[in-house]
Amino acid sequence: MNAIISASELASALAGENPPVLLDVRWQLSVAKAAGEPPFDGRAAYAAGHLPGAVFVDLDRELAGSPGADGRHPLPDLAEFGAAMRRAGVSPARPVVVYDGGQGWAAARAWWLLRWTGHPDVSVLDGGLTAWEGPLATDVPAPAEGDFEPVPAAAGLLDADGAAALARSGVLFDARAGERYRGDVEPIDRVGGHIPGAVSAPTNDNVGPDGRFLPAEELGARFKALGAADGTPVGVYCGSGVSGAHEVLALAVAGIPAALYVGSWSEWSSDPSRPVAVGPDPQ
């Protein structure tokens, strides 16, 4: 099972005997912008045109819980998540392909949640909707109810204590932009900086100018140069567990398993008792 799928491969799969369920997870990070600029509306973007048969999934409401002490995008209630996936037609017997507008972060969050809760065959459309050259649809499909029941895995998920420990015993990647890792700027959270011991590895460096992932060999070389040697336990965090899922996906493309700290910096930095490192040095 490949973690990503090309647009041409997806077209072939859709014409096959067991076509995948398509999930549209268009979303953008909400940050303070100029007065009067409307926030991004993923549902409106979906209504304007989506892959034929795709069902819209709301990241903020269906792939995350309510913001709070656990972070801006904590884990969703798994019963509610499972119900949302079944409404979208998700079943273990059918592959699932997830896409977003092209950045890949939101699609990766859905991919990670489905994989972590036991779906055997999930992939992300490499390059997102912008890579698709076929027709788009504006109708809202009504898929048959799926039968997916989420069962979380024992591994693959980190909490704050686990992330802190992994930064000492293995490698913990910080998927945010370098300036946020260093603490030069912090546009969203209480304080800037990073978890002591974490290594800066911006997830934007995992893709090319077209938004598609770099070849697996290049990704593997990058991560190994950053400390992900053979057998080293690897974890990832970001601002709120969305772009970090994209880095976990990139690691999967490279053949490197990794856990995700879903609470990420939005949870870590909300507690003044937790240590904060600044500057380019991990410590």
Side-chain angles (χ1 to χ4, degrees):
M1 192 275 294
N2 293 323
I4 57 175
I5 186 171
S6 69
S8 60
E9 290 170 335
L10 176 57
S12 297
L14 289 170
E17 295 182 356
N18 188 30
V21 173
L22 297 177
L23 303 181
D24 183 311
V25 197
R26 272 178 278 182
W27 171 90
Q28 288 182 10
L29 179 65
S30 296
V31 294
K33 295 185 177 182
E37 183 176 347
F40 177 78
D41 187 339
R43 194 174 294 275
Y46 168 84
H50 51 265
L51 266 62
V55 176
F56 180 73
V57 174
D58 190 314
L59 185 148
D60 290 315
R61 294 177 174 83
E62 297 173 319
L63 304 181
S66 299
D70 294 333
R72 285 193 309 279
H73 291 103
L75 285 175
D77 177 271
L78 290 185
E80 295 178 4
F81 168 68
M85 293 299 97
R86 290 189 293 275
R87 286 194 301 272
V90 174
S91 295
R94 288 185 65 187
V96 176
V97 174
V98 192
Y99 71 91
D100 57 26
Q103 188 180 39
W105 294 6
R109 172 71 176 225
W111 167 85
W112 180 84
L113 268 171
L114 282 165
R115 292 291 295 142
W116 178 65
T117 54
H119 197 287
D121 190 351
V122 190
S123 55
V124 169
L125 176 58
D126 196 17
L129 186 65
T130 57
W132 180 254
E133 296 180 352
L136 298 180
T138 56
D139 64 307
V140 178
E145 182 89 358
D147 59 3
F148 175 68
E149 293 287 349
V151 179
L157 176 68
L158 294 171
D159 59 11
D161 290 340
L166 188 59
R168 298 188 298 270
S169 64
V171 59
L172 179 66
F173 289 136
D174 185 318
R176 299 172 299 161
E179 58 267 25
R180 291 187 68 192
Y181 170 87
R182 295 188 300 270
D184 299 343
V185 299
E186 183 43 65
I188 307 173
D189 294 314
R190 185 185 67 83
V191 63
H194 58 270
I195 297 173
V199 176
S200 179
T203 199
N204 283 342
D205 292 345
N206 295 320
V207 298
D210 59 0
R212 302 182 195 187
F213 281 102
L214 300 176
E217 297 78 8
E218 290 185 32
L219 290 171
R222 180 195 184 212
F223 291 124
K224 288 180 180 179
L226 290 171
D230 293 341
T232 302
V234 177
V236 181
Y237 76 96
C238 58
S240 64
V242 179
S243 66
H246 188 264
E247 184 124 299
V248 173
L249 176 59
L251 283 154
V253 172
I256 302 171
L260 178 65
Y261 172 25
V262 173
S264 285
W265 190 248
S266 60
E267 179 188 31
W268 183 277
S269 64
S270 68
D271 185 346
S273 71
R274 294 193 183 105
V276 171
V278 295
D281 185 77
Q283 304 301 330

